[in-house]
């Protein structure tokens, strides 16, 4: 059976970035993803840019899923954005709380992502298929794993159709999370988020911030390669392909690639997976 994949982009800031993303999309379209998603900057900072990329993807004939974060927003604001996406014929949305940008004190009218999911359902009924975020290694601000799992269950109860996880390198964390969700009676598909590894320094910094654990054996090996980007790339490809194989063999319902607007690594991983 073929594993469904989806691929995530961020909205570029420059005309060159927009052009580059077009060729990245063209290359990744060959993988026949079920949708391309486009991230949304905290506090609405990329509202226009996210919308423009989403419209382009849809015009190219692909399913497009905008991300939408609610922290710092008002109900009117979100309602307007939902209306724009409905008018553009968009049927899938990734609903998030987001993080307040530093210096922004106003939390707005939503506190957590479950309130956004509830609002989207109240405003638009079944128009959108809603994805939410899941954290196999737990969200960094969660009071406890138990509370985080309850928060996840609330988002599903509020009307989410499926979930995409934060990236992780420990397959066991994913399987444990799925089992724990099932034990709570939560049975929506939980799609693993996959981060292809292009370099180590940035990845290490980012992983610390978002709570993704880089196992010691991997960290040590990456560090031993120093500036040898070819060796890092080769080891990264081996590790991530092996992770994907394990996830698929263990029943993961699909894979969601954090492409970072690049095509070669995602393409190579999918080629290796067949
Ligand atoms: P929530 O589900 O609301 O959870 C946030 C925290 O609050 C968790 O610790 C949870 O345990 C806790 N919590 C929830 N409800 C309660 C409650 N009632 N009481 C107390 N605590 C509670 N960010 C962006 O800015 N733009 C993006 O496009 C984007 N895309 C993402 C895509 C994916 C697949 C993932 C996994 C993350 C993405 N993020 C994005 C990051 C995300 O916005 C952050 O991780 C954010 O900190 C949490 O968002 P959430 O939707 O998971 O929040």
């Amino acid at each position: 059976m073929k594993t469904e994949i989806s691929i995530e982009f961020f909205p570029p800031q420059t005309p060159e970035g927009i052009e580059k993303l077009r060729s990245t999309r063209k290359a990744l379209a060959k993988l026949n993803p079920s949708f391309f998603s486009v991230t949304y900057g905290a506090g609405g900072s990329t509202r226009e840019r996210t919308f423009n990329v989403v419209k382009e993807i849809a015009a190219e004939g692909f399913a497009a899923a905008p991300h939408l974060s609610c922290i710092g927003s008002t109900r009117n604001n979100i309602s307007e954005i939902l209306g724009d996406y409905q008018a553009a014929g968009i049927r899938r949305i990734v609903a998030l709380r987001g993080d307040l940008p530093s210096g922004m004190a106003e939390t707005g009218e939503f506190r957590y992502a479950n309130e956004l999911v509830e609002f989207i359902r109240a405003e638009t009924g079944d128009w959108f298929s809603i994805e939410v975020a899941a954290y196999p290694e737990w969200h960094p601000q969660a009071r406890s794993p138990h509370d985080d799992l309850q928060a996840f269950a609330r988002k599903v109860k509020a009307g989410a159709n499926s979930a995409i996880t934060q990236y992780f390198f420990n397959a066991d964390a994913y399987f444990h999370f799925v089992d724990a969700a099932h034990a709570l009676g939560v049975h929506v598909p939980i799609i693993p988020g996959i981060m292809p590894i292009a370099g180590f320094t940035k990845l290490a910094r980012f992983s610390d911030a978002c709570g993704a654990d880089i196992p010691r054996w991997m960290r040590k090996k990456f560090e031993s390669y120093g500036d040898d980007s070819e060796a890092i790339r080769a080891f990264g490809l081996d590790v991530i392909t092996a992770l994907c194989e394990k996830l698929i063999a263990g029943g993961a319902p699909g894979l969601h690639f954090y492409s970072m607007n690049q095509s070669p690594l995602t393409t190579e991983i999918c080629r290796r997976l067949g």
Side-chain angles (χ1 to χ4, degrees):
M1 201 178 75
K2 282 243 152 102
T3 301
E4 292 229 330
I5 65 161
S6 50
I7 300 173
E8 181 170 314
F9 302 126
F10 59 84
Q13 298 206 24
T14 62
E16 299 76 45
I18 292 171
E19 209 38 64
K20 162 93 204 310
L21 181 55
R22 287 186 187 125
S23 52
T24 295
R25 264 198 320 267
K26 209 164 165 193
L28 290 174
K30 296 190 186 120
L31 301 174
N32 203 17
S34 47
F35 64 91
F36 288 123
S37 82
V38 185
T39 61
Y40 185 80
S45 55
T46 69
R47 179 171 166 176
E48 283 295 303
R49 284 189 276 129
T50 298
F51 188 58
N52 290 340
V53 176
V54 162
K55 272 196 307 190
E56 259 196 46
I57 293 172
E60 288 164 358
F62 299 106
H67 294 210
L68 179 59
S69 63
C70 60
I71 197 91
S73 282
T74 61
R75 282 161 206 279
N76 277 345
N77 226 235
I78 297 289
S79 185
E80 235 177 68
I81 295 172
L82 294 173
D84 287 346
Y85 283 127
Q86 280 190 295
I90 302 302
R91 302 301 300 255
R92 186 189 291 266
I93 209 155
V94 184
L96 304 143
R97 183 197 70 175
D99 296 301
L100 269 188
S102 56
M104 189 170 166
E106 277 299 313
T107 55
E109 293 177 0
F110 299 88
R111 287 170 313 158
Y112 298 108
N114 64 299
E115 295 169 12
L116 176 62
V117 175
E118 240 166 61
F119 184 74
I120 296 173
R121 283 284 173 249
E123 287 274 297
T124 63
D126 287 336
W127 178 270
F128 291 107
S129 175
I130 303 178
E131 313 269 344
V132 290
Y135 301 86
E137 295 179 316
W138 316 117
H139 186 266
Q141 290 158 8
R143 278 184 301 221
S144 69
H146 173 265
D147 282 7
D148 210 26
L149 198 62
Q150 295 289 341
F152 175 64
R154 270 197 298 278
K155 294 193 278 194
V156 174
K157 203 162 166 225
N161 300 90
S162 55
I164 301 172
T165 75
Q166 181 59 276
Y167 72 86
F168 56 87
F169 303 112
N170 297 299
D172 287 346
Y174 169 79
F175 293 124
H176 175 81
F177 184 87
V178 171
D179 287 348
H182 287 175
L184 266 187
V186 175
H187 293 286
V188 297
I190 300 172
I191 316 288
I194 303 296
M195 179 67 90
I197 301 174
F200 182 63
T201 315
K202 252 198 199 157
L203 179 77
R205 207 176 333 117
F206 195 54
S207 300
D208 280 347
C210 70
D213 181 50
I214 304 179
R216 178 184 160 88
W217 67 275
M218 276 176 62
R219 190 180 281 270
K220 286 282 174 196
K221 200 141 179 200
F222 276 122
E223 282 167 357
S224 77
Y225 293 133
D227 293 337
D228 186 347
S229 53
E230 263 316 299
I232 291 172
R233 185 188 140 93
F235 179 57
L237 277 170
D238 288 348
V239 165
I240 298 302
T241 306
L243 173 67
C244 293
E245 280 167 349
K246 207 166 173 183
L247 292 168
I248 293 167
L255 299 171
H256 178 82
F257 285 92
Y258 294 107
S259 77
M260 308 307 283
N261 292 8
Q262 308 286 333
S263 65
L265 292 175
T266 300
T267 302
E268 177 59 14
I269 293 164
C270 290
R271 189 192 67 74
R272 291 184 184 194
L273 292 172

